Amino acid sequence: MEVGFLGLGIMGKAMAMNLLKHGFKVTVWNRTLSKCDELVEHGASVCESPAEVIKKCKYTIAMLSDPCAALSVVFDKDGVLEQICEGKGYIDMSTVDAETSLKINEAITGKGGRFIEAPVSGSKKPAEDGQLIILAAGDKALFEESIPAFDVLGKKSFFLGQVGNGAKMKLIVNMIMGSMMNAFSEGLVLADKTGLSSDTLLDILDLGAMTNPMFKGKGPSMNKNSYPPAFPLKHQQKDMRLALALGDENAVSMPVAAAANEAFKKARSLGLGDLDFSAVIEAVKFSKE
Amino acid sequence: MEVGFLGLGIMGKAMAMNLLKHGFKVTVWNRTLSKCDELVEHGASVCESPAEVIKKCKYTIAMLSDPCAALSVVFDKDGVLEQICEGKGYIDMSTVDAETSLKINEAITGKGGRFIEAPVSGSKKPAEDGQLIILAAGDKALFEESIPAFDVLGKKSFFLGQVGNGAKMKLIVNMIMGSMMNAFSEGLVLADKTGLSSDTLLDILDLGAMTNPMFKGKGPSMNKNSYPPAFPLKHQQKDMRLALALGDENAVSMPVAAAANEAFKKARSLGLGDLDFSAVIEAVKFSKE
Amino acid sequence: MEVGFLGLGIMGKAMAMNLLKHGFKVTVWNRTLSKCDELVEHGASVCESPAEVIKKCKYTIAMLSDPCAALSVVFDKDGVLEQICEGKGYIDMSTVDAETSLKINEAITGKGGRFIEAPVSGSKKPAEDGQLIILAAGDKALFEESIPAFDVLGKKSFFLGQVGNGAKMKLIVNMIMGSMMNAFSEGLVLADKTGLSSDTLLDILDLGAMTNPMFKGKGPSMNKNSYPPAFPLKHQQKDMRLALALGDENAVSMPVAAAANEAFKKARSLGLGDLDFSAVIEAVKFSKE
Amino acid sequence: MEVGFLGLGIMGKAMAMNLLKHGFKVTVWNRTLSKCDELVEHGASVCESPAEVIKKCKYTIAMLSDPCAALSVVFDKDGVLEQICEGKGYIDMSTVDAETSLKINEAITGKGGRFIEAPVSGSKKPAEDGQLIILAAGDKALFEESIPAFDVLGKKSFFLGQVGNGAKMKLIVNMIMGSMMNAFSEGLVLADKTGLSSDTLLDILDLGAMTNPMFKGKGPSMNKNSYPPAFPLKHQQKDMRLALALGDENAVSMPVAAAANEAFKKARSLGLGDLDFSAVIEAVKFSKE
């Protein structure tokens, strides 16, 4: 199978590499072209613009850093839109909001192309290991044709219906994550302030019905006041905000998520936005006693 | 090793049975004596009062339903206090508040006896399987002498320092649990109201960093509006309240736990107090649209 | 002084009438022209389009129902923009978000015109009585030239600096109002459920440091479950949401407003969106006991 | 009319003085007897113990600093209980919890005496001016006989039914006050952080439907970061907690009060407990940007 691949950041590079390793013919493009070199060593072809990639390949995957980059690659000069046409499929795996996805979808399908959004759950390590979770939505047939690639990139892919649903599902997952992180933080701080060991609390949690990789992975460093940014707090807070906005549209009252969102905002105001989202514990801890 | 055992409710019976199976000599007592019969068939002896059990055994474990029962077994006529003395150890595994524990501790040690509180995390099934988590605090030497029994009853036992710490640690664990359940409920309802499948959300959560036995165990029935009471909502709410009171004493602000507590209170006002605590999702769901 | 007046809804009509009564020469326009008749009887002139009004008058006031109408009157065919030019002033008193105001400002000033936004605090009665509070922002000189009109329309006008500040100030005022209404509702319900009289609570509040026209005006009908819509709950909730978004932009954590917002959302989900915002008490009250 | 008066703190002294000025014969007692001197100059008699006051007077009013003092005056040696008997009335105007009131009531009525609790709303100034609001509950006949004294001490007295209701009503009033103060604080901070003037916000609020003596009295000093303690924050937080506990007993979910309570707790952890409760704005403000 031959695929185009746009965007070779941390995630994109790992993903394109996996495709190559599994025998896919991959044509890559990146804004900074030099980033393509390592892929070329492993057998990738290179094009000088998104338009060229689209022209060459029946299927093109994009993995871009944010909504702005996702839009630019499609709509700018030499962009996707110049070559997309009937028979071609565009698979945007970037994390963008539903609105951005809908805009891209409209443009692509307006030219006769097919589109799915396919944001992923998982960061660098799962990307390298082909263990992402893929939340796809849009053109059902294109989704099915993409399965060979998705099987290489992720451990599981879901088809969620119309464009926008992938983005929404990801927000909901992240909202639960943000509230859980606050619950965890409040518990760790309460243990500490009542003279109990927050390390022992980690051990106890780890043995019970709430044990989960996130508590296990982040707990020990939180107890050492260390928050190396795997998922920056400001992005987590943005996702909480967007999930709450989704609740607003649908008249779903979510007081716990709302309280968690305010805690993340307090953490931002304390200058913690660029640290890992587990740094929200600092907002809970903060006192002058 | 010979131990006394007071209280043969669902938990106590399973625990005493485990001790018998592992070769302990067990002397049991229960307010309704007929409940001792099954244990006797498996080799247990019976006494007619807590005082008699204490008189006979160097170590006595209690597993009673609530603080009231825990106090009554110690302080009432023919109670523990009448026979406790130097050289004897009393191990209360009931779930009680720190204040109750402290009162029992004072009385026991006032007579020269030794005391540990040792509340457990885990319900019927882990009790039967000897897989409880034991949160012990009080007399360190007694804790160490109790380890052979704890190894039979639980998968892990923790020594947490002075009396009261076991009760506090359990509240903190339950507080995290209650907030997590709310986070989970809000996510499931939001998925449903935005036209996504809440069953798919379960699948996605199960594959990611938040996967945990509680979501896995309770999610499917929550999606079917079924809440068979493993841990009654009213007890969960009581533990949230007590954990918040602990935060109050220590000036720890916990807005997410506070929001979760109010959601549980709303659920109580909707008549859901006797259902499983996962029924809090009904308070999130509730609408007239 | 001669002024144009666009928009003769409940508010606009009362305001234009006040201007006429105080000797202003007023030229009116309304989408449904027949609504101009009553004004004409009191001496107003009529134009057939916003553009004509602008052409005729040095100063034009607009009082439109929502951001959509406010934009349409400016940008559509025969709109304000076709005739606005140097020497002319446009005063938009509609309640719109800061973004809408900024868009209008840019267009008007791009043509050499001058602009202020001037949203008001107060509804029908204060509009009729010339007792509005005017929150103006934008061109300072235009504000000063508008004072004779503002003195007729309101009891006090504030100049708040750059365009957008009027809209923001109004959101903040409404946010405080929404949280206060929730505080009040929770108190009334708590009194009632603990067997105290919520009418007596009103009397007590009225005598103390918290006495205010809102509690006094709305309390008695809230105690009778009556919520005639003076300010619809769905609009109050929208303003809470926008105020929280303002807090988000500025990293201000506002947990009480966030909790109040979720209560208004719950009220919306209970079908109360079109009632007065005091109907949020129904969301507090709601129970099955 | 002749009355006894126990407790001559800031409040008690002002109240006893008012009674003297209005022609009451007053017999006073205070733990530090020298505090009685000023009252004696104005015509009061003095006794050396609460028991003596009760023996001498048909009606005795108490105004003590806290539940502990209120209990001690009744139950200690030479206390109220030694002389209370049929035909005598005891009127406790101290601010205590319902439980303390009930305990005192039981003891007094057990000896044949009559009892009302009558906590007040209002602090030093209203006490001096005879402008307190009196929240009485208990023996209806005694309440009616006390009206001449209440008319001197307060601008209005309410009879609220059984003992405990006075304490509960006061908690509810203070709960509303605490939430309102948070709403106000969030608004002031949001104004400031968005570049608006928080002084102008005060002016705007003062003109609208939310205008109230509390905002007017405390707003200007809050904008100057000044919090002279009229009602200490730690007491306000304690009342929020007790009001939430009252909600808990009655299954009333109060998410806004709960959020406000957590804000007060955060303020306590920032070392603000002894300042005025308006210092909660510091917890809202706190940031590192």
Side-chain angles (χ1 to χ4, degrees), chain C residues 13-32:
Chain C
K13 190 174 139 189
M15 292 159 74
M17 198 67 91
N18 269 334
L19 290 168
L20 285 167
K21 283 183 192 160
H22 285 77
F24 283 73
K25 292 185 62 179
V26 184
T27 301
V28 300
W29 168 87
N30 191 65
R31 192 164 300 276
T32 311

Side-chain angles (χ1 to χ4, degrees), chain B residues 69-266:
Chain B
L71 289 166
S72 150
V73 152
V74 172
F75 292 97
D76 282 3
K77 188 170 177 317
D78 300 322
V80 168
L81 223 51
E82 295 186 2
Q83 291 292 337
I84 200 83
C85 59
E86 209 171 320
K88 290 190 182 287
Y90 186 62
I91 301 146
D92 191 348
M93 303 186 74
S94 321
T95 290
V96 302
D97 53 295
E99 210 182 336
T100 299
S101 255
L102 288 165
K103 201 179 289 179
I104 293 173
N105 180 55
E106 198 181 14
I108 300 278
T109 56
K111 294 265 186 172
R114 292 181 300 158
F115 177 72
I116 52 176
E117 62 173 352
V120 300
S121 185
S123 52
K124 191 186 175 192
K125 188 73 172 39
E128 289 171 347
D129 299 345
Q131 294 292 305
L132 296 166
I133 305 163
I134 296 165
L135 308 177
D139 188 295
K140 183 78 185 280
L142 177 57
F143 170 73
E144 273 155 15
E145 293 164 34
S146 306
I147 285 176
F150 288 166
D151 283 351
V152 165
L153 299 171
K155 61 180 163 184
K156 177 99 180 177
S157 49
F158 293 88
F159 182 75
L160 301 169
Q162 65 194 20
V163 172
N165 284 357
K168 286 175 189 173
M169 187 61 98
K170 198 173 169 199
L171 284 182
I172 295 173
V173 169
N174 282 6
M175 178 186 86
I176 296 174
M177 185 166 76
S179 294
M180 264 178 73
M181 180 49 80
N182 269 276
F184 186 47
S185 296
E186 291 182 357
L188 291 173
V189 173
L190 182 55
D192 188 58
K193 297 260 175 170
T194 49
L196 299 168
S197 156
S198 53
D199 284 323
T200 302
L201 176 55
L202 292 185
D203 291 343
I204 293 168
L205 287 171
D206 193 32
L207 290 160
M210 285 177 278
T211 182
N212 66 80
M214 181 172 81
F215 286 5
K216 227 165 160 156
K218 294 187 187 285
S221 53
M222 288 165 76
N223 279 348
K224 290 189 195 73
N225 310 322
S226 165
Y227 318 102
F231 183 45
L233 190 141
K234 65 186 176 192
H235 293 163
Q236 170 67 68
Q237 194 264 317
K238 184 201 65 187
D239 284 357
M240 296 294 295
R241 173 177 16 112
L242 293 173
L244 284 161
L246 198 58
D248 203 299
E249 283 167 36
N250 294 279
V252 181
S253 176
M254 302 185 295
V256 169
N261 185 39
E262 297 306 314
F264 282 120
K265 279 162 66 180
K266 183 54 102 179

